[in-house]
Amino acid sequence: MTHVPAQAHAHFSEAAAERRDFTAIAQWIAPGAKVLDLGCGDGSLLGYLRDTKNVRGYGVEKDDANVLACIKNGINVIQMNLEEGLAGFEAQSFDVVILSQTLQAMYSTERIVQEMLRVGKEAIVTFPNFGFWKHRLQLILGNMPVSKNLPYQWYDTPNVHLCTISDFDNFCRDHHITVQERLVITDGKTIHLAPNLLGSLAMYRFGNAA
Amino acid sequence: MSDSSSVGIVVPQIAHFAEPLALRSGAILPAYDLVYETYGTLNAAGTNAVLVCHALSGTHHVAGKHHENDKHPGWWDNMIGPGKPIDTNRFFVIGVNNLGGCHGSTGPVSINPATGKPWGSSFPIVTVDDWVLAQSRLADRLGIECFAAVVGGSLGGMQALQWTLTFPDRVRHALVIAAAPNLTAQNIAFNEVARQAITTDPDFHGGDFYEHNMVPWRGLRIARMLGHITYLSDDAMGAKFGRKLRSGDIKYSFDVEFEMESYLRYQGDKFAESFDANTYLRMTRALDYFDPAADYEGNLSAALANAKADFLVVSFTSDWRFSPARSREIVKALLDNERDVTYAELTAAHGHDAFLMPDKHYHDVVRAYLENVE
């Protein structure tokens, strides 16, 4: 990647220290892997993976401000709309394709997951668990859930396809997706007991069914 | 008046090359001149040079003014200067008029030493690779082994791309803006209409109009009018002119009725007065012929396999002459080769001409990219 000043590297490590999902994703990625990060935002995750795992990678992003931030951060970014699929990326051309907290904001949910598995040997998907107890409680009390992972009001949310961990498990089963690992976290801590109730962020690593 | 973001008064320079240049067509140019301008200072290691390649009607005069009261600064003055996206406080920037041009580099209007007359029709057809080769000799002359960046829009972007193929070790970054890996049939068609307008002008005299003291300005004017339409978007024209009438009333005549007509005629006239018809023919042909994938059975990924540069590819949404889809082809070929590449698809109303416009986000993108170029 383009050389960036040492300061920028420090920035990614610091930002990542607070992002348990970053460190969890990093654990799933082999050093030097070729990574595609869909909906890469300002490139923080890729920057973190570059600094800690020496990955080679590209981000995909549609938002102008995020594309500019990626360029500033020295991250390779391709500006395109994920809803249109991943035309332009060859089959099996990446070790890992990541969709980090973007799935719930996409219309073409099935298509993007299929595209991830076409382009990547492995895929990592993370999403906010709508089944988290705080979300359920807010619904019982009569309001749409608002939380750290769902920070929007019903009228300004970009999220269109929210799901629970149980829903996504079913999705994988119905689409013949072999889940290799699943990690559920809340406030940076791994949740083992009743993850669909107690987990706020779900992370999946999967590949095509053998 | 001193504008701190301008490179100020600049003086074109001429480099003469006595060593023959073997052209892609097989023709040999025995000797030639290149006129160029430079802005900023080349560092001691010679590592901060940026080459700016011009498009169809561009020149070596990229930034600054030629004299204090010069109304027209260089064609990319909004992009290049102290503190501007291509920052002359950091970079040594070079603009060069391409071979076959009509602004001082050897071209059809130049005197052929062998005959003592203007080259005219006998000036060879030049291609993008020929230009890159000639530019590399200028780089040699200036002591530049490797460019920090080669930058260009449209036909200039094609040169930037070609640089990474012809001289992969001599360019670290290529900024390929509003370009394409080759022209579509529709684009070639537009160029052919432009050429026909020129070559069928009775004053063209087969390209040797100089000795008849004539200029095929009618043909050149129509060629430029046609080109101008294709460089703008329908929306941009609509916003700027719409159906506005020149005088407020329809006169039921073939005089200028609509503002659009007035603008086109003005642009055509202005261009025909200052540009050479033979140059226009050759520039459009260079566009037609550019096709790096042609030597690789149409496989652009194979064609770009030797490139070593990092890339910034930029396209504009309303550019229908060099559409974003064409830039995406370049991006895909670079991805296939695992090159470092960033692609920005900018929302713009101005069509192909957007690459010359001072849009803030566009400039921010170029600035941010170049700030990470060491």
Side-chain angles (χ1 to χ4, degrees), chain A residues 21-132:
Chain A
D21 54 329
F22 280 19
T23 58
I25 288 170
Q27 284 170 16
W28 284 344
I29 291 178
K34 187 180 170 196
V35 174
L36 184 63
D37 183 12
L38 306 179
C40 67
D42 64 2
S44 297
L45 175 60
L46 273 173
Y48 175 71
L49 295 174
R50 178 188 60 194
D51 297 351
T52 58
K53 290 289 197 170
N54 198 27
V55 303
R56 298 163 296 138
Y58 303 87
V60 172
E61 180 56 53
K62 70 174 175 185
D63 177 71
D64 281 348
N66 279 335
V67 168
L68 181 60
C70 284
I71 297 173
K72 285 182 176 165
N73 289 330
I75 300 294
N76 290 323
V77 60
I78 309 299
Q79 187 164 25
M80 58 184 275
N81 185 354
L82 291 177
E83 301 288 358
E84 288 158 20
L86 296 176
F89 294 95
E90 283 290 326
Q92 300 297 295
S93 59
F94 284 84
D95 296 317
V96 187
V97 181
I98 302 169
L99 189 66
S100 171
Q101 303 200 50
T102 303
L103 181 79
Q104 76 280 0
M106 291 202 55
Y107 288 94
S108 321
T109 313
E110 290 174 289
R111 185 175 175 196
I112 195 62
V113 172
Q114 285 160 3
E115 280 285 80
M116 290 175 77
L117 288 171
R118 177 184 69 81
V119 169
K121 298 178 181 110
E122 265 184 22
I124 294 173
V125 169
T126 78
F127 60 87
N129 176 27
F130 199 73
F132 184 45

Side-chain angles (χ1 to χ4, degrees), chain B residues 12-352:
Chain B
Q13 299 168 74
I14 290 177
H16 179 73
F17 296 86
E19 189 193 342
L21 190 72
L23 303 173
R24 175 91 169 197
S25 67
I28 290 172
L29 205 54
Y32 55 95
D33 290 340
L34 291 177
V35 61
Y36 67 99
E37 289 181 3
T38 69
Y39 325 104
T41 309
L42 186 65
N43 62 21
T47 56
N48 68 332
V50 172
L51 176 67
V52 177
C53 303
H54 70 72
L56 199 152
S57 61
T59 72
H60 56 288
H61 184 36
V62 181
K65 296 179 170 189
H66 282 155
H67 53 82
E68 196 65 34
N69 299 318
D70 199 342
K71 279 186 200 158
H72 302 290
W75 58 267
W76 221 0
D77 193 70
N78 62 39
M79 184 67 90
I80 297 154
K84 286 180 178 168
I86 302 176
D87 188 349
T88 52
N89 289 331
R90 291 185 57 217
F91 295 113
F92 176 66
V93 181
I94 303 166
V96 54
N97 186 215
N98 282 324
L99 284 177
C102 54
H103 293 88
S105 291
T106 299
V109 74
S110 311
I111 301 296
N112 179 355
T115 62
K117 291 196 293 187
W119 282 90
S121 62
S122 67
F123 193 84
I125 301 269
V126 281
T127 63
V128 169
D129 356 22
D130 296 333
W131 289 335
V132 167
L133 192 56
Q135 290 160 2
S136 77
R137 293 199 179 164
L138 179 63
D140 296 341
R141 184 75 58 90
L142 296 173
I144 297 155
E145 220 164 278
C146 181
F147 282 103
V150 178
V151 185
S154 188
L155 178 55
M158 291 172 165
Q159 292 161 61
L161 181 57
Q162 187 63 49
W163 257 96
T164 69
L165 309 180
T166 309
F167 298 109
D169 293 314
R170 297 193 70 176
V171 48
R172 287 186 281 129
H173 297 267
L175 281 72
V176 180
I177 301 169
N182 61 20
L183 288 197
T184 60
Q186 187 192 45
N187 257 321
I188 294 171
F190 282 126
N191 283 347
E192 173 59 4
V193 174
R195 283 190 295 268
Q196 284 290 310
I198 291 168
T199 57
T200 59
D201 185 320
D203 293 341
F204 182 64
H205 294 285
D208 295 315
F209 49 88
Y210 316 103
E211 51 200 78
H212 294 86
N213 280 320
M214 287 186 170
V215 172
W217 69 272
R218 284 170 293 189
L220 188 53
R221 178 172 175 270
I222 291 167
R224 184 58 175 176
M225 289 165 85
L226 172 71
H228 220 82
I229 296 167
T230 69
Y231 304 146
L232 293 173
S233 68
D234 191 19
D235 284 349
M237 274 195 209
K240 193 166 180 182
F241 305 106
R243 293 182 51 83
K244 267 186 286 203
L245 294 171
R246 191 89 191 284
S247 64
D249 290 313
I250 285 182
K251 299 213 176 345
Y252 298 97
S253 78
F254 294 112
D255 291 338
V256 171
E257 292 268 41
F258 295 93
E259 288 287 4
M260 185 69 241
E261 297 171 304
S262 168
Y263 175 79
L264 270 187
R265 289 188 189 196
Y266 171 76
Q267 290 293 339
D269 288 345
K270 195 173 73 164
F271 188 75
E273 278 167 20
S274 61
F275 208 81
D276 177 66
N278 281 315
T279 290
Y280 203 83
L281 295 179
R282 279 159 183 75
M283 294 284 167
T284 57
R285 255 312 185 220
L287 275 164
D288 294 354
Y289 287 148
F290 181 73
D291 188 7
D295 292 339
Y296 297 84
E297 295 169 336
N299 184 335
L300 187 64
S301 300
L304 302 194
N306 290 331
K308 293 181 181 170
D310 295 351
F311 285 78
L312 173 67
V313 179
V314 176
S315 72
F316 300 91
T317 50
S318 58
D319 184 351
W320 56 279
R321 186 122 191 213
F322 289 77
S323 71
R326 304 310 317 279
S327 283
R328 277 185 234 125
E329 289 177 38
I330 298 173
V331 171
K332 177 176 188 305
L334 294 168
L335 287 170
D336 287 347
N337 285 297
E338 303 191 354
R339 299 286 359 126
D340 277 328
V341 52
T342 278
Y343 171 58
E345 191 168 302
L346 304 184
T347 304
H350 285 99
H352 188 52

Side-chain angles (χ1 to χ4, degrees), chain A residues 131-204:
Chain A
F132 184 45
W133 68 270
K134 284 185 182 173
H135 300 155
R136 299 189 195 198
L137 184 63
Q138 288 180 68
L139 269 177
I140 286 171
L141 293 173
N143 294 104
M144 283 297 283
V146 178
S147 67
K148 198 174 80 180
N149 282 333
L150 293 177
Y152 303 97
Q153 296 295 332
W154 64 270
Y155 50 82
D156 66 3
T157 180
N159 298 329
V160 293
H161 279 150
L162 290 161
C163 68
T164 68
I165 289 172
S166 172
D167 290 329
F168 197 75
D169 284 341
N170 293 340
F171 176 90
C172 291
R173 186 195 62 218
D174 295 346
H175 290 79
H176 309 292
I177 292 165
T178 310
V179 176
Q180 283 149 348
E181 270 183 271
R182 191 186 74 184
L183 182 67
V184 177
I185 56 180
T186 302
D187 296 330
K189 292 191 180 63
T190 306
I191 303 295
H192 297 287
L193 185 72
N196 197 33
L197 185 64
L198 301 180
S200 78
L201 185 72
M203 311 177 64
Y204 286 72

